[in-house]
Amino acid sequence: MPALSPTMTEGGIARWEKQEGEAFAAGDLLLQIETDKAQMDVEAQDDGVLVKILAPEGAQNVPVNSVIAIVAEEGEDIASIDIGALSKQPEAEAVAEKVEKVEKKAEKAEKKIEKTEKKPSSGLTSPAAEFTIHANHIANAVEIEGTGPKGRVLKGDVLQFLKSGKAVISKPEISPVVSKPAASKPVAKAASSGNELPFLVQSLEPSVLRHLAQVELAKRSVVVQVPAARLVQLVKANRGMTVDALAVRAIALALQQVQVEGNGVGVVTDGSKVAEVAGAATASVLDLVSAIKQARSGSASGRPAAVLAGENVFTPDTLPEATVVVVGAPYASVSAAEASAAMDSALNDLLGMATSSARPSQQASSTVIDVRVISNSPTVASALASKIKGFLSNPELLTF
């Protein structure tokens, strides 16, 4: 059993790609090994023949460096190999004994699960996917669509099925025998979701949940790139002025030109609530800076039509009823033509081919910011994004 990562101590045999007696070449796929984090392919390092498989498909908790198979060099007399002696190595015996115990436990646990918990329609599931199905008591697993080879259902497919809310959860009287998961930090419960995920999935797969949340937010978002050189210069030249104040003013004026209910603008408080900013469209910029600070340090108040928020503040389950506007930090941007010219120049310099006449003119990169508008209405999001871009591109119009 190879160690596929520095922290790996044991693994499972998901699938043998070669059969006993079958020859293989260097680079051929020998087997698929599954850990608690991923499923990975193991390739042959040299040519040879797979003589005997000691750890069969489905074997779990096989210690690293244990003997899982016997191979021979190509052309070697296989009949002369004492398979019995090699199979009786302490490592092989330990693996065989552990595999037998695991298989017995799995068989016993399978009998105790309700008959309604059927396997996915493809009939192929990875051990991790099987564990997740049983641990979450999914009764309609036949509806899970596999994305693996030959329709194989992977762990990610089961998690996606749970996230979609299509899973029918049953509660068997006797649960299968499984290892107790390691203690993990509690995950905050979503405030507005009616389909709460099982705690097991929340604690074991935070990265998957974060990715799904980002995908869901992207579906509701419109992103525009705003020239920001004048905006940055204006803020630097006027002490006390902030980008947030100008952004709140731009949102307030944009709301007056877009048909939405209400025109108030809010910010996120220190307690992750929404508080409306007083005088967003009428107060002076410096007064607006103070109003924003006061709103952020206070409690939730008002029902603004739009909220200025930072990156990753909200998830799909915690989005407020208002439209959310995220104004990113300024960054340098170059056009595709300028980037290509710079790469050509660097390559020519590297090859000693550059001449003074061939060098491209040096063009300064432009400063831009990304503005994202998140709304359940694509029309509103697009219209607001366009108006906000127009105001922030001409920041002098916001300083009355």
Side-chain angles (χ1 to χ4, degrees):
M1 173 63 69
L4 302 179
S5 71
T7 59
M8 178 177 170
T9 58
E10 58 184 23
I13 308 298
R15 177 183 176 84
W16 282 99
E17 299 294 343
K18 299 294 183 181
Q19 305 300 320
E20 292 184 356
E22 188 175 351
F24 54 84
D28 284 355
L29 183 60
L30 286 181
L31 72 157
Q32 294 179 352
I33 289 179
E34 189 166 47
T35 69
D36 58 342
K37 297 180 180 178
Q39 184 167 310
M40 292 166 280
D41 297 336
V42 177
E43 297 180 351
Q45 302 300 314
D46 299 293
D47 298 346
V49 178
L50 183 58
V51 179
K52 180 69 175 178
I53 294 175
L54 300 179
E57 290 185 4
Q60 295 291 306
N61 305 318
V62 181
V64 167
N65 295 327
S66 297
V67 180
I68 58 175
I70 298 172
V71 297
E73 294 183 0
E74 191 173 6
E76 187 176 352
D77 184 8
I78 298 177
S80 64
I81 299 176
D82 189 353
I83 296 177
L86 292 174
S87 302
K88 291 180 180 179
Q89 294 183 51
E91 298 89 344
E93 289 180 346
V95 172
E97 183 179 353
K98 197 163 190 178
V99 167
E100 185 178 358
K101 288 182 179 179
V102 171
E103 289 178 344
K104 285 182 179 179
K105 284 185 178 181
E107 183 179 355
K108 185 177 180 181
E110 187 70 27
K111 292 179 180 179
K112 295 178 181 179
I113 298 176
E114 289 185 344
K115 293 181 180 180
T116 54
E117 293 186 8
K118 299 178 181 179
K119 291 183 178 294
S121 55
S122 66
L124 299 174
T125 56
S126 68
E130 191 77 25
F131 169 81
T132 308
I133 290 172
H134 291 166
N136 291 279
H137 312 305
I138 302 177
N140 59 334
V142 291
E143 300 176 14
I144 301 175
E145 295 183 5
T147 59
K150 299 180 181 180
R152 184 185 184 92
V153 175
L154 306 177
K155 187 177 182 180
D157 300 327
V158 181
L159 296 174
Q160 179 63 44
F161 188 68
L162 284 165
K163 177 67 176 178
S164 69
K166 298 177 182 178
V168 177
I169 308 300
S170 65
K171 292 295 182 182
E173 294 180 0
I174 303 178
S175 300
V177 179
V178 295
S179 299
K180 186 177 180 181
S184 60
K185 295 182 180 179
V187 178
K189 201 171 185 180
S192 60
S193 173
N195 299 321
E196 301 294 345
L197 288 178
F199 173 76
L200 175 68
V201 178
Q202 290 193 25
S203 60
L204 293 183
E205 297 296 334
S207 60
V208 173
L209 296 178
R210 283 195 299 269
H211 174 70
L212 293 174
Q214 291 171 359
V215 171
E216 183 62 28
L217 286 177
K219 292 178 182 178
R220 308 183 193 179
S221 302
V222 172
V223 181
V224 292
Q225 195 175 72
V226 181
R230 292 162 62 184
L231 178 67
V232 173
Q233 185 177 5
L234 181 64
V235 171
K236 287 183 177 179
N238 293 272
R239 186 175 182 181
M241 188 178 293
T242 65
V243 174
D244 281 355
L246 295 175
V248 168
R249 171 64 51 77
I251 297 169
L253 296 179
L255 287 171
Q256 294 178 355
Q257 300 181 15
V258 177
Q259 302 224 350
V260 294
E261 185 177 349
N263 56 10
V265 181
V267 292
V268 181
T269 68
D270 295 337
S272 299
K273 302 295 183 181
V274 173
E276 188 168 346
V277 178
T282 58
S284 69
V285 175
L286 294 181
D287 288 342
L288 195 53
V289 171
S290 300
I292 291 173
K293 289 182 180 179
Q294 184 177 357
R296 284 176 171 163
S297 61
S299 57
S301 62
R303 299 187 63 181
V307 177
L308 177 67
E311 292 283 356
N312 303 318
V313 171
F314 294 114
T315 68
D317 292 328
T318 60
L319 280 174
E321 294 181 4
T323 298
V324 175
V325 180
V326 179
V327 178
Y331 64 94
S333 174
V334 296
S335 67
E338 292 170 348
S340 177
M343 291 180 65
D344 290 342
S345 176
L347 182 60
N348 289 336
D349 286 344
L350 183 64
L351 299 177
M353 298 169 57
T355 62
S356 58
S357 59
R359 290 182 179 276
S361 60
Q362 296 293 328
Q363 299 186 25
S365 60
S366 58
T367 302
V368 298
I369 56 176
D370 291 335
V371 175
R372 171 183 291 189
V373 180
I374 307 171
S375 172
N376 289 327
S377 171
T379 303
V380 171
S382 180
L384 270 179
S386 177
K387 295 295 182 182
I388 293 171
K389 177 179 179 179
F391 284 118
L392 292 180
S393 299
N394 300 277
E396 296 83 2
L397 301 175
L398 307 173
T399 58
F400 57 83

